[in-house]
Amino acid sequence: MLKNKSLAYPYLVWMAIFIAAPLLIVVYFAFTTAEGKFTLNNLTGIAPYTAVFARSLLLAGAATIICLVMAYPVSYFLSRMRANKQHIMLMLVMLPMWMNFLLRTYAWMTLLEKNGIINKILGFFGIGPLQMINTAGAVILGMVYNYLPYMILPLYTAMVKIDDSLIEAAQDLGAGTWRTLTRVLIPMSAPGIATGITMVFVPSVSTFIISRMLGGGGNMLIGDLIELQFLGNSLNYNVGSAMSLLLMVVVLLCMSLTNTMGDEDVEGVI
Amino acid sequence: MENPVIVSLQDIVVDFDGEPILTGLSLDIHDKEFVTLLGPSGCGKTTTLRVIGGFVEPKSGKVLFNGKDIKSLPPYKRPVNTVFQKYALFPHLNVYENVAFGLRLKKMDEKEIHSRVMEMLETVGLKGFERRSIAKLSGGQQQRVAIARGLANHPKILLLDEPLGALDLKLRKEMQIELKRLQQAMDITFIYVTHDQEEALTMSDTVVVMNKGHIQQIGTPEDIYNEPKNAFVAEFIGESNIVDGVMRRDFMVEFAGASFSCVDKGFAVNEIVQVVVRPEDIQVVPAIQGTLTGVVKDVIFKGVHFEMRVEQAGYEWIIHSTQASQPGELIGMNIGPEEIHIMRRMEE
Ligand SMILES: Nc1ncnc2c1ncn2[C@@H]1O[C@H](COP(=O)(O)OP(=O)(O)O)[C@@H](O)[C@H]1O
Ligand SMILES: [Mg+2]
């Protein structure tokens, strides 16, 4: 253990300059007019965009659930493999993360296009062409593809700690597969589930690249909206800050929700 | 004494990665007995237990429970519960919920669960610990929770895999007595695995001695100790002197250069045999009165007795005696007919 607390000072300074200060600036902009007067109009001005907020939460939520459902069994089997195989498989899971994020998403664009590879193959069987690009489904797919490893890793980390003998003990006491899952595996991997949900949901709900590249104009998310306020033709720092602030509150709410699930007080369960 | 057979293993074969672990093991276990599987580490005790529990499916052979084949029955449907080697308590549940785990699965009503759990905790001496988290228990207490959890389901058989292995000597002795008492109080079958021969002899009705995936001998502790079937059993169950000998005729054996009367018969004339003599069964007498004479090499005090190594015509004898001789002293040794145990030579 490091005893010398002064070693943490560089980070404290970093935090003050690059995290706390910008946050204060965002708060300032969110509650002032362009002339610097206090106002709540920025926040109330978000009301027309409720649908965009709802869509963001919905798509990010769907992507998170799909990631969880897909990653859970994968992580379980990964955690039951022999140690040397586990390392190879983990590398494979992380492999896509080594490629540039934009590149990966571009790749999906060409795959999903009207005359992209998938539609060509489908056409070969007399199906389609299907409208895949520029749909909500494509946005969810992009989120799942990009953030799935962030779900697998924490789940795997939680599950390697569960000894085989605990699973056997559950079976020994009369639990079949389903009840071993619900009474032992899920409660014991809850911290991993909470971390995984946070790590997928937070970037998904605030993304703007995935929605712009795969969602077309019809699937605008909060991220896109905020970007428009700062860089696009709407150009309104004050409304943009208010939106950022609201997004932050939403994210914090969701995180505190999953965190209470993660470290549920085990002694109070009775 | 002979209760009906509750579990019967017939010709069980188990391989791991092509490596034979059990090669045709057969064993009948009688109802309400305390049966111990005893053998050195790696001999297949745990594997045998796991075959009964349903965690290892044998490649061939039958597992009969009350005469019915349960080979394909999954663990959660078997009327058997296990106390695992490392306890395997659920860390996300407290003591109460660990013990109640199996009962909740049975959809028992809350009142009944409560009374059963409290009864079990009382039985293992953990009343008042219901709300304690598992991490805050000592090794001995965790052990008791594991036993209570296994027994709460009222299994027909409780399987215990070296449950006292991690405890210190004093606690282990206490728990041995406790377990024996529990088995009698619950009136069910215990199948107990250990590599500690003393533990096996103290607790069991029947001891099954195993080596390299084979059963060497099955019998009561007295049988196993006094009548070991081969040199492996003799050596594994306590210290012994094992020497080669020749059966001259019935009730007469020759070894270490002298003839002895014995109580064994039915060997061929001049058959080469192995002779087992327990260290405490050699009488030390003045040199001229001894059938064998030897020189004391060293003497160690062992608490209750002295252990002496005696050199005699190229043999080395270990003797346990309450009276010490001096190193270098010439002594005589006598062995009574009852104390000589003859075994057929072990084919390796
Ligand atoms: N799951 C397994 N995979 C491969 N080999 C195993 C496995 N379990 C046990 N073995 C091997 O089987 C042999 C018997 O093991 P075990 O039944 O645990 O012995 P014991 O309990 O008597 O010490 C050992 O050589 C052990 O290495
Ligand atoms: Mg073992």
Side-chain angles (χ1 to χ4, degrees), chain A residues 68 72 151 154-155 158 185-187 189-198 258 261:
Chain A
L68 182 61
Y72 204 84
M151 184 64 92
L155 284 180
L185 275 177
I186 291 179
S189 57
I193 296 175
T195 310
I197 288 177
T198 310
T258 49
M261 178 185 93

Side-chain angles (χ1 to χ4, degrees), chain A residues 82, chain B residues 14-17 19-22 37-50 56 85 161-162 193-195 210 213:
Chain A
R82 299 210 173 145
Chain B
V14 173
D15 287 1
F16 284 130
D17 312 321
E19 188 82 16
I21 304 298
L22 301 178
L37 307 182
L38 172 67
S41 186
C43 74
K45 306 180 297 289
T46 298
T47 306
T48 307
L49 211 62
R50 289 167 64 81
V56 170
Q85 198 156 6
D161 193 353
E162 311 223 12
V193 161
T194 182
H195 63 264
M210 293 178 64

Side-chain angles (χ1 to χ4, degrees), chain B residues 201-218:
Chain B
L201 296 182
T202 340
M203 302 167 76
S204 321
D205 298 315
T206 302
V207 178
V208 179
V209 185
M210 293 178 64
N211 189 32
K212 295 182 183 154
H214 287 285
I215 292 178
Q216 303 292 322
Q217 185 168 0
I218 304 176

Side-chain angles (χ1 to χ4, degrees), chain A residues 166 168 171-172 179 183, chain B residues 50 76 81-82 89 92 105:
Chain A
L166 290 172
E168 289 185 351
Q171 294 178 322
D172 185 77
R179 292 199 288 186
R183 309 223 168 174
Chain B
R50 289 167 64 81
Y76 63 90
N81 286 114
T82 308
L89 298 173
H92 61 294
L105 294 172

Side-chain angles (χ1 to χ4, degrees), chain B residues 1 31-36 123-124 147 151 158 160 163-164 172-192 198-207 220-222:
Chain B
M1 165 85 205
D31 197 16
K32 304 189 197 315
E33 273 194 16
F34 197 119
V35 179
T36 300
T123 313
V124 299
I147 293 166
L151 288 173
L158 190 69
L160 305 101
L164 309 182
R172 200 155 71 218
K173 298 270 182 220
E174 278 172 30
M175 284 302 290
Q176 286 173 8
I177 297 166
E178 186 99 0
L179 277 174
K180 183 74 193 169
R181 180 186 66 76
L182 270 177
Q183 185 257 337
Q184 283 162 348
M186 305 290 293
D187 203 25
I188 60 169
T189 311
F190 273 33
I191 306 178
Y192 189 93
E198 198 192 322
E199 197 164 283
L201 296 182
T202 340
M203 302 167 76
S204 321
D205 298 315
T206 302
V207 178
T220 63
E222 296 80 38

Side-chain angles (χ1 to χ4, degrees), chain A residues 82 163 165-177 179-180 183-184 187-188 266-270, chain B residues 17 50 55 75-76 80-82 84 86 88-92 94 101-102 104-105 107 131 133 136 149 153:
Chain A
R82 299 210 173 145
D163 199 90
S165 67
L166 290 172
I167 295 161
E168 289 185 351
Q171 294 178 322
D172 185 77
L173 293 164
T177 310
R179 292 199 288 186
T180 304
R183 309 223 168 174
V184 177
M188 284 194 68
V266 290
E267 288 179 53
V269 167
I270 290 200
Chain B
D17 312 321
R50 289 167 64 81
F55 297 107
Y76 63 90
V80 165
N81 286 114
T82 308
F84 291 86
K86 286 173 291 173
L89 298 173
F90 302 117
H92 61 294
N94 62 20
F101 191 92
R104 294 213 185 282
L105 294 172
K107 303 242 182 316
R131 304 239 156 198
S133 104
K136 290 190 191 121
R149 184 179 70 174
N153 265 16

Side-chain angles (χ1 to χ4, degrees), chain A residues 97-117:
Chain A
M97 290 163 73
W98 299 346
M99 232 187 316
N100 182 282
F101 180 83
L102 281 173
L103 214 61
R104 278 180 278 162
T105 312
Y106 266 120
W108 274 113
M109 256 173 101
T110 51
L111 283 173
L112 297 177
E113 265 167 7
K114 260 266 152 50
N115 42 13
I117 297 175

Side-chain angles (χ1 to χ4, degrees), chain A residues 169-243:
Chain A
Q171 294 178 322
D172 185 77
L173 293 164
T177 310
W178 176 249
R179 292 199 288 186
T180 304
L181 183 71
T182 54
R183 309 223 168 174
V184 177
L185 275 177
I186 291 179
M188 284 194 68
S189 57
I193 296 175
T195 310
I197 288 177
T198 310
M199 286 179 65
V200 172
F201 184 77
V202 171
S204 295
V205 81
S206 54
T207 184
F208 59 95
I209 294 179
I210 295 176
S211 45
R212 182 170 338 132
M213 286 167 69
L214 301 176
N219 288 290
M220 199 184 239
L221 301 186
I222 312 174
D224 303 288
L225 210 54
I226 294 173
E227 198 209 5
L228 277 180
Q229 309 305 317
F230 286 97
L231 304 169
N233 35 22
S234 316
L235 205 60
N236 185 337
Y237 284 14
N238 302 94
V239 173
S241 296
M243 287 173 172

